[in-house]
Amino acid sequence: TSLQKIADFFEYEYLLRRACFETDGCKKIADIFAFLFILYSTVPFRLRKPFNPLLGETFEFFEKDIKCIIEQISHHPPIAAFYCESDDYEIWGQLIFKIQFSMSGFELVPTGPFNLRLKKTDERFNFTRPRYSIHNYIVGKLYFWINGEMTCTNEKTKEKISVTFKPKGWTSANDYLADGEITDRDHKVKYTVSGKWNSYLSIFNKGTGVETIIVDKYPDPPEYHMQYYFSHYNMNLNYLRPEEAQKMAPTDSRFRPDLRAYEHGDIDLASSEKHRLEEKQRATRKKNTTSNLEWKPLWFIWDSKDTSKEAVYRKENGYFECRDKGRWPTEMLDLFN
């Protein structure tokens, strides 16, 4: 599901751990930036449309000290909110896309906030993200590309990294190129940045002349094209461990019957279950409209009348607390039965 795709950013979370102990502010912000940058390496190949989440559907990610909850908080427009924490950092924000059409294709423009805080130094970072362009969706071979600028700013120290994703040319010689710079609080360029968003990112110290590789993409699994170009990490996101299944909310994506049927190769059952779930959601929405009931997210405080305001995770009686107690709220939706 698209909720599971949000959890992709934990694949390279070691960069955030490393940033906690980095004394050079410019290298620190390069680590923070790289942990999202390298995820674009999967974009050119993962062309299949993910399962659309139902309103109120969730996805949790618990690994070692990491706790993460993602919830679909709006259906029109589709918005997912997320909150994650570990011993070293917090991550929160929303995934919202605006669609822009053109003669050659269309673009997905991410507009939701993405925030990160390092607990050790109490430094907060915010991002702007590049655009996804989708070409040849009517005629020709379909492909995705990343365009525009991506930035990350340290709100406390004012260091900033800005990287531009180069447009695709007529040949593939310069495909995936990205370059930019890191500036200090006085807006002076301390490092230049270069890389390919499908494979690596490096920085070059203008003072010392030393180049440092910040991140390299993990090697692809054998025959990964047979598994939707998933990495080892992506493949495991849908794995339902029995001990974890007993703890997670019944609204979790991994309990979707259409997704499970599709994974086991029963396409007819997957199609009929998908139709059943969508019809059930429409009926619920119609009933709420008739009864003049306003739907509200269970785990986030969000104003559906003012979508410009950021969703806030409920820490009091929140998801993590309910999960620890093993008791879910009575108002939780029965999405899949």
Side-chain angles (χ1 to χ4, degrees), residues 194-228:
S194 62
K196 288 192 171 186
W197 51 269
N198 71 330
S199 55
Y200 78 97
L201 185 75
S202 68
I203 60 174
F204 179 80
N205 189 316
K206 295 189 70 176
T208 63
V210 175
E211 183 177 17
T212 305
I213 301 292
I214 298 298
V215 65
D216 272 315
K217 180 178 177 287
Y218 291 138
D220 296 318
E223 305 291 335
Y224 83 126
H225 64 283
M226 299 292 289
Q227 294 284 348
Y228 303 99

Side-chain angles (χ1 to χ4, degrees), residues 148-207:
E149 186 180 41
M150 178 177 174
T151 69
C152 178
T153 304
N154 186 328
E155 294 184 0
K156 187 176 183 179
T157 65
K158 305 306 179 185
E159 281 119 350
K160 181 178 181 179
I161 178 170
S162 303
V163 170
T164 300
F165 293 72
K166 302 299 183 182
K168 184 172 176 57
W170 291 104
T171 68
S172 59
N174 295 316
D175 280 357
Y176 311 111
L177 288 180
D179 60 33
E181 59 189 26
I182 304 175
T183 55
D184 62 15
R185 65 168 63 244
D186 298 318
H187 308 293
K188 293 180 180 178
V189 178
K190 293 296 184 180
Y191 289 83
T192 57
V193 183
S194 62
K196 288 192 171 186
W197 51 269
N198 71 330
S199 55
Y200 78 97
L201 185 75
S202 68
I203 60 174
F204 179 80
N205 189 316
K206 295 189 70 176

